[in-house]
Amino acid sequence: MTTTFTVRRAASSAPAAAPLLDPKELPPARLFIGGTFTDTVAPERTERTDVIDPATEEVIARIPDGSAEDVDRAVRAAADAARGGWARLVPKERSEILHAIAGRIAEHADVLVRLEAANTGKPLSVARDDVAGTVDTFRFMAGALRAPTSMAAGEYAEGHLSVVLREPLGVVGVVTPWNYPLLMAAWKLAPILAAGNTVVLKPSEQTPLTTLKFAELVADLLPPGVLNVVTGLGPVVGARLAEHPDVAMIALTGSVGSGKAVARAAAGSLKRVHLELGGKAPVVVLADADVRAVAASLRVAGFWNSGQECGAACRVLVHESLADALVAELAREVAGLVVGDPRAGEEVEVGPLVSKAHFDRVRGYLGRALGAGARAVTGGGALDGPGYFVAPTVLVDVAPGAEITREEVFGPVVTVETFTDEEEAVRRANEGAFGLSASLWTESARRSHALAARLDAGTVWVNSHLVLAGEVPWGGFKGSGYGRDLSLYALDDYSRTKHVMHNQVPQGQDMQGQVPQSQDTQGQDPQGQDTHNQVPHEQVRHDHTPAG
């Protein structure tokens, strides 16, 4: 029998039924440019986007839709700040500012948690984890920027000292998604600022509130223009950021479609592009796996943030000998999930989807999958009442290659498929368009090493899923994009390498340190050829092709 769910809501007479936010706690509904909140270029003609609480479908705020001209203003402010000295601060000074930002976020964690929960529908526990992750990201980058890694200085060509420098890029444009508004902003902002760049950031028009609140909280900590926030729509604000000639790099976390649009727009100015896109994480369960451990992990990793997670454990590939046992255990785990409004208390584990459009999209995937013969052992559809709630769903009898196994549903939906041997498991795990993350479940150390190396994903977990740390990189292959968030690799992504080579041979001395014997032959070899600043023969270009 299919497990059913009801939405837990705050009782109308309970204190928890009070609004998550006092209106005074909302950030200014304006753009943040040059260190201050400001109106759009033409406020009287500016459209505004309603920001909706997805648990209640009520309007929280109305945020202005910025224009291309607003992006131009923000880029000018960011470029001025870059020239004004932010990039020239010594690492210690930038580190102290990033630590101060982390401290300010921690100090205001409560309001940020409630703001994120109201804007996205996240359970309080999820929103709290996001804010804690934001603090940790800034703290890690504050330390990492003081300990850069690079090639050692040395003589790699005789008589010449090479020094490799890491420099800021300049102005970086950032586009962040609606599923983790504050945390994804931190994943971008912390390394970008740590590397000495300045930023113009466009948050999702659906979830801009914590980004604006962040700007409000840290405005006095950063020089004017170092951080700028322009709200608005992707085809306007995002497109202008991607094509702007004075933006050195565009970094986006979002959908594959958005990533392709940004990359196309960026091509005109040959700017760098950093893309963290979608995922469809396979969970490969071998015949010797611990079924209870798999099911317990999937309860969290498959349904965290209502499944609106690019690394979610959403596609289970289980050896046929374990399939029945795993499905039974997984159904038991998922049936215990508490679905509800974040106001209903700390027990809520799964909230609503972020918007009506996304709610309809996920329902469409479920309807087509069930119509094609899949069977829901839990959930299977929307839940009654206000809010964009979909029941936590486990689908079985899913045909190989079905739409719901290939495309990113981005909701509380986990599919279960079976395989017969390891070769088939690896082949099917790698057959999709995405390559962000995967997990492998086995008690064999040999299998874990051998098969993890063959899974085509940027992160492979062994006997766990969706465990992250600031010290290790996050990013994918194939349709999941390129570039790395978190870790020292992010600092590398948001900086450029410069090689400076110093000729150390004194004038009037040859490469072997011998001073010529006579004025007549100084600077010449016995055949009369010039030896000043001599370069080894094998390093001279012999073609006439301009260097790339």
Side-chain angles (χ1 to χ4, degrees):
M1 175 178 285
T2 301
T3 302
T4 58
F5 295 87
T6 57
V7 177
R8 182 175 297 187
R9 304 182 189 275
S12 59
S13 60
L20 283 172
L21 292 166
D22 184 317
K24 295 178 182 177
E25 295 175 313
L26 290 169
R30 305 171 78 191
L31 313 182
F32 185 78
I33 297 176
T36 187
F37 283 95
T38 181
D39 289 326
T40 58
V41 170
E44 71 282 356
R45 299 199 305 271
T46 298
E47 295 293 326
R48 288 181 172 264
T49 296
D50 288 344
V51 177
I52 307 294
D53 180 339
T56 65
E57 303 182 48
E58 297 174 354
V59 176
I60 305 171
R62 304 189 71 234
I63 301 297
D65 293 341
S67 64
E69 292 79 10
D70 293 315
V71 173
D72 292 346
R73 281 197 299 151
V75 171
R76 283 195 298 272
D80 289 345
R83 289 189 294 268
W86 175 251
R88 293 192 297 274
L89 292 179
V90 298
K92 178 177 182 292
E93 292 175 307
R94 283 205 305 276
S95 175
E96 288 174 346
I97 292 173
L98 264 63
H99 274 302
I101 290 172
R104 188 67 59 82
I105 297 166
E107 180 185 352
H108 293 86
D110 178 66
V111 67
L112 288 167
V113 167
R114 290 184 286 108
L115 191 61
E116 197 80 319
N119 194 173
T120 66
K122 292 176 186 282
L124 292 173
S125 59
V126 178
R128 195 172 292 115
D129 188 77
D130 286 3
V131 175
T134 298
V135 173
D136 183 68
T137 299
F138 276 97
R139 292 233 184 272
F140 172 79
M141 289 299 171
L145 76 91
R146 299 186 67 176
T149 59
S150 189
M151 178 179 176
E155 283 197 19
Y156 299 96
E158 186 178 355
H160 292 73
L161 174 66
S162 289
V163 179
V164 177
L165 306 177
R166 302 294 301 189
E167 296 182 338
L169 300 172
V171 179
V172 178
V174 172
V175 180
T176 53
W178 48 256
N179 60 330
Y180 289 102
L182 181 63
L183 185 60
M184 292 301 100
W187 280 22
K188 296 294 189 286
L189 290 175
I192 288 170
L193 296 177
N197 303 291
T198 58
V199 187
V200 179
L201 187 151
K202 187 203 94 66
S204 167
E205 63 272 19
Q206 296 170 314
T207 57
L209 298 184
T210 48
T211 304
L212 290 170
K213 190 68 176 180
F214 173 86
E216 180 184 25
L217 292 173
V218 306
D220 63 315
L221 300 177
L222 291 165
V226 170
L227 169 65
N228 306 273
V229 179
V230 180
T231 57
L233 305 179
V236 178
V237 176
R240 181 55 181 158
L241 270 177
E243 71 184 14
H244 200 294
D246 294 331
V247 172
M249 181 178 191
I250 183 77
L252 173 139
T253 296
S255 69
V256 173
S258 295
K260 289 180 178 179
V262 161
R264 282 193 295 266
S269 57
L270 291 177
K271 61 170 54 64
R272 290 194 187 188
V273 180
H274 180 291
L275 300 176
E276 200 270 89
L277 307 177
K280 188 70 177 179
V283 179
V284 180
V285 184
L286 300 185
D288 64 341
D290 182 335
V291 167
R292 288 190 175 183
V294 176
S297 179
L298 291 178
R299 173 188 175 124
V300 178
F303 299 94
W304 185 260
N305 201 34
S306 302
Q308 299 169 126
E309 157 67 58
C310 51
C314 55
R315 184 191 176 202
V316 178
L317 292 162
V318 57
H319 189 272
E320 58 188 3
S321 65
L322 291 185
D324 290 344
L326 178 60
V327 168
E329 194 68 27
L330 181 57
R332 185 185 65 79
E333 287 279 3
V334 174
L337 288 168
V338 177
V339 180
D341 184 321
R343 297 164 187 78
E346 295 288 347
E347 296 81 12
V348 173
E349 299 169 90
V350 177
L353 300 181
V354 75
S355 67
K356 178 66 162 59
H358 188 53
F359 173 71
D360 290 340
R361 178 178 176 274
V362 172
R363 287 197 305 163
Y365 275 115
L366 284 173
R368 292 190 296 275
L370 295 170
R375 177 170 58 89
V377 296
T378 69
L383 298 175
D384 293 336
Y388 309 127
F389 291 93
V390 170
T393 298
V394 176
L395 295 179
V396 297
D397 301 335
V398 179
E403 176 196 55
I404 203 160
T405 70
R406 293 182 286 105
E407 297 189 14
E408 188 176 34
V409 178
F410 223 58
V413 180
V414 171
T415 61
V416 181
E417 305 166 71
T418 62
F419 63 85
T420 58
D421 58 47
E422 292 177 8
E423 289 300 316
E424 180 190 1
V426 171
R427 175 180 57 79
R428 288 173 59 191
N430 290 338
E431 68 189 357
F434 299 106
L436 183 59
S437 62
S439 63
L440 176 66
W441 296 80
T442 177
E443 294 300 299
S444 167
R446 180 192 62 80
R447 286 193 183 99
S448 70
H449 285 288
L451 297 186
R454 296 175 61 194
L455 292 176
D456 201 7
T459 293
V460 178
W461 293 281
V462 176
N463 294 331
S464 67
H465 198 108
L466 209 58
V467 179
L468 302 174
E471 291 83 354
V472 292
W474 177 256
F477 307 144
K478 303 190 296 186
S480 294
Y482 41 83
R484 292 297 178 263
D485 291 317
L486 303 175
S487 79
L488 292 172
Y489 294 95
L491 280 176
D492 286 348
D493 275 4
Y494 295 117
S495 58
R496 65 188 186 187
T497 303
K498 176 182 285 184
H499 170 219
V500 180
M501 180 178 274
H502 300 269
N503 179 8
Q504 300 188 102
V505 180
Q507 294 297 312
Q509 182 172 308
D510 67 17
M511 296 293 285
Q512 286 72 43
Q514 300 298 317
V515 177
Q517 296 301 308
S518 71
Q519 183 68 32
D520 291 339
T521 60
Q522 185 173 354
Q524 295 184 339
D525 67 10
Q527 284 73 44
Q529 295 176 327
D530 183 26
T531 59
H532 281 165
N533 304 323
Q534 182 175 338
V535 178
H537 178 270
E538 64 272 16
Q539 296 184 42
V540 179
R541 290 180 65 95
H542 293 286
D543 62 69
H544 300 284
T545 305

